[in-house]
Amino acid sequence: MERRQFIRGLCCGVVAWPLAAYAQQVSNPRRIGILGADATVWRPWTTAFAARLRELGWLEGETIAIDYRWAEGSSQRVSEVAAEFLRQNVDVIVSYGNAVTTLKQATTTIPIVFAVAFDPVRGGLVQSLAKPGGNVTGMSIRQPDLVAKRLQILRATIPRLRRLAVLADAGYAEPMLEADRVKSTAQALGLEAARLGIWRAQDIAPAFEALRDKADALYVVSDALIAANRARIITSALDAHLPTILSYGDYVEAGGLMSYGPDFTDLFRRAADMVDKILHGTKPGDIPVEQPTKFDFAINVKTATALGLVIPPTLLADADEVIE
């Protein structure tokens, strides 16, 4: 009798232990703080991020909790969210390159994953791509040949292209470095190129006024400020009859002419893989920074028609997305 009671008690203990552990895990989910540039632009990407975590066994609302915050192009907002995440003591912060500079100043202990960054080594976010060090790692989109590729697409669309304007956020070094690269590459191709820097949303209208009748096309360097004001920028470009080349398809869906750049959905899925490793105990500084392997090319034919442009059939055939 005593032996049966002992076995029964042992079995109950074996069953109860994982249930108790699960209940504790559910009541104390791991917290992920996401600081994005703009809700509308980032939503498809964060959806892919959360989907990848589900594939890896993390259930939002059960084993993980994800808090979403948006900078909307404001550096002050980035500082406020950083302080909020520190108070919450989140397990991981997922963000973008420009914001990580501020986040690193706020914490050296909470792991940080940038889902996208221009040049994390030059920007001082990591020590090297292979060995990031510290509490930061992520996805780098530093691809010097992207600039040449975008200009190649633009010239194929506008054979008479002579004057190029480059619009970028003057408040951060990385966008302006890309703008400089665009300018030098364009000049090497025999084009006139002028760089326009904006510091805030109020600078957009004066920038386009300064461009009036002085450019044949506009290269837009994307970052948080640009993303938060993409509708205004695209509308202003259309009003000025300026064809635009952009970084990703969301801008083209909003009315931009063309985009070529990394597949951001893929970048965010791979960032989720990094978060999974961190939540399982890997130090972010030991996770190598990765680079894009997939790229998207989008064309808005409706916008081309409004601008009086005919997209070459070869470009349409090469496009991953054609919006009509």
Side-chain angles (χ1 to χ4, degrees), residues 17-37:
W17 179 81
L19 291 176
Y22 175 77
Q24 184 178 14
Q25 188 178 36
V26 170
S27 63
N28 296 288
R30 309 297 295 275
R31 300 192 69 88
I32 301 171
I34 293 184
L35 171 55

Side-chain angles (χ1 to χ4, degrees), residues 123-260:
L125 306 185
V126 297
Q127 295 175 11
S128 71
L129 299 184
K131 297 181 179 180
N135 62 322
V136 179
T137 189
M139 305 297 303
S140 169
I141 60 170
R142 184 182 182 275
Q143 298 285 325
D145 56 333
L146 284 183
V147 170
K149 178 66 174 180
R150 290 176 184 138
L151 293 182
Q152 176 188 345
I153 293 170
L154 200 57
R155 294 180 79 194
T157 306
I158 312 169
R160 296 184 179 180
L161 178 63
R162 296 291 180 271
R163 302 170 300 173
L164 179 69
V166 187
L167 184 69
D169 180 358
Y172 291 96
E174 295 305 314
M176 295 304 282
L177 285 171
E178 181 175 340
D180 287 337
R181 190 178 301 127
V182 175
K183 182 178 178 180
S184 61
T185 304
Q187 290 173 337
L189 294 172
L191 302 176
E192 297 178 19
R195 189 187 70 175
L196 280 175
I198 60 172
W199 294 85
R200 52 185 184 166
Q202 294 89 325
D203 297 334
I204 294 172
F208 276 93
E209 186 61 32
L211 280 179
R212 188 179 297 275
D213 300 324
K214 295 180 181 178
D216 303 315
L218 178 67
Y219 184 116
V220 180
V221 179
S222 183
D223 82 327
L225 177 62
I226 299 296
N229 293 279
R230 68 196 178 287
R232 185 183 306 184
I233 290 169
I234 290 169
T235 300
S236 298
L238 288 171
D239 289 344
H241 214 68
L242 277 174
T244 48
I245 184 73
L246 305 136
S247 301
Y248 45 83
D250 177 80
Y251 287 5
V252 177
E253 292 176 6
L257 177 60
M258 298 180 296
S259 69
Y260 182 84

